[in-house]
Amino acid sequence: MAETKGLFISFEGIDGSGKSTQARRLADWLLDQGRDPVLTREPGGAPGAEEIRRLLVEGEPERWSPETEILLFTAARRDHLERTIRPALEAGRDVVTDRFADSTRVYQGATRGDLRGLVDQIHDSAIDVEPDLTLILDMDPAIALQRGLARQSGEDRFEEFGLPFQQKLRSGFLDLASDQPDRCVVIDANTDADAIASAIRDLVAGKLG
Ligand code: TYD
């Protein structure tokens, strides 16, 4: 008989909101609980998807049209789903991912023209999976942008769209959370990292029952 499926958790938020740190802290905590989590990220999370990532996060802001981006992010996600996420969940492991489909809904679907219909169509036909729990880290876009650019990661293509873009993203994520309240929880990420991590642990502990 197949084992119980693992829990699928995504972290979402604007660039520089602290998702990556919190995703790692949650995965460490799950490990301490005797679970066997997989910590992963998008775009990327599988060798082919990581190759597509480079095409997306480097280079000039106008390198790709939003429509082309939707297709590239979805191609990367499909690979991530096939090679990493689905096998892990089916083996009973929890998956903690730094971004998933909500990033495409907001970054490509709601910031440069209204492409949400196209995003939804492509998602339904190529992905059609949602996390059990989505943690949206909400913080002041001006502070988040400073943090993101200060990292000088060479992966700043989206940060380079500037503050108004980050503000649009923030409201896009908040709208999504109110549209899908059964799955999405907004976390106030303006406080310190320990307090955020403990709020997240309480939520996940509730899900684990
Ligand atoms: P990420 O590595 O999470 O960057 P950061 O740690 O700075 O938040 O994601 C890389 C960039 O790709 C980020 O600016 C968000 C963007 N992105 C999209 O535009 N659409 C998507 O579907 C995904 C997954 C990411």
Side-chain angles (χ1 to χ4, degrees):
M1 209 176 85
E3 278 188 58
T4 322
K5 271 194 159 191
L7 199 63
F8 182 19
I9 302 169
S10 64
F11 278 81
E12 297 282 359
I14 60 178
D15 302 279
S17 58
K19 292 173 292 86
S20 312
T21 305
Q22 293 298 337
R24 192 172 45 242
R25 289 183 67 154
L26 178 63
D28 289 346
W29 178 78
L30 287 167
L31 201 61
D32 289 346
Q33 303 306 298
R35 303 179 69 92
D36 184 20
V38 173
L39 175 62
T40 185
R41 68 164 181 183
E42 287 205 357
E50 289 286 337
E51 288 191 40
I52 301 173
R53 175 188 179 92
R54 254 182 291 124
L55 297 174
L56 283 159
V57 298
E58 295 175 8
E60 294 303 308
E62 303 306 330
R63 180 177 187 185
W64 307 111
S65 73
E67 290 83 351
T68 309
E69 275 176 21
I70 296 169
L71 294 167
L72 287 169
F73 278 113
T74 308
R77 181 161 306 127
R78 176 75 199 202
D79 189 51
H80 186 206
L81 187 64
E82 287 175 5
R83 310 287 168 122
T84 304
I85 299 176
R86 207 178 268 146
L89 293 175
E90 284 173 0
R93 303 179 70 185
D94 302 318
V95 172
V96 176
T97 184
D98 182 349
R99 297 194 185 281
F100 191 66
D102 295 318
S103 283
T104 313
R105 294 186 176 110
V106 173
Y107 278 76
Q108 283 68 45
T111 51
R112 287 179 286 158
D114 183 9
L115 293 177
R116 181 59 191 275
L118 182 62
V119 170
D120 288 345
Q121 262 179 355
I122 294 175
H123 176 82
D124 291 349
S125 46
I127 309 293
D128 204 25
V129 170
E130 301 300 340
D132 300 306
L133 176 65
T134 295
L135 300 160
I136 297 179
L137 300 200
D138 180 47
M139 80 175 293
D140 180 341
I143 298 172
L145 185 61
Q146 269 173 6
R147 259 205 220 171
L149 288 172
R151 281 200 296 247
Q152 294 200 317
S153 61
E155 292 192 338
D156 296 336
R157 201 177 139 246
F158 289 91
E159 275 105 329
E160 283 175 11
F161 282 108
L163 186 57
F165 181 75
Q166 298 295 325
Q167 283 161 336
K168 264 196 201 170
L169 290 174
R170 175 177 186 237
S171 46
F173 278 119
L174 295 179
D175 289 348
L176 198 81
S178 54
D179 283 354
Q180 305 196 24
D182 46 330
R183 165 174 79 81
C184 299
V185 180
V186 177
I187 309 277
D188 179 3
N190 294 292
T191 57
D192 71 282
D194 288 346
I196 300 166
S198 119
I200 291 172
R201 282 198 300 269
D202 289 349
L203 271 164
V204 174
K207 277 269 171 190
L208 294 172

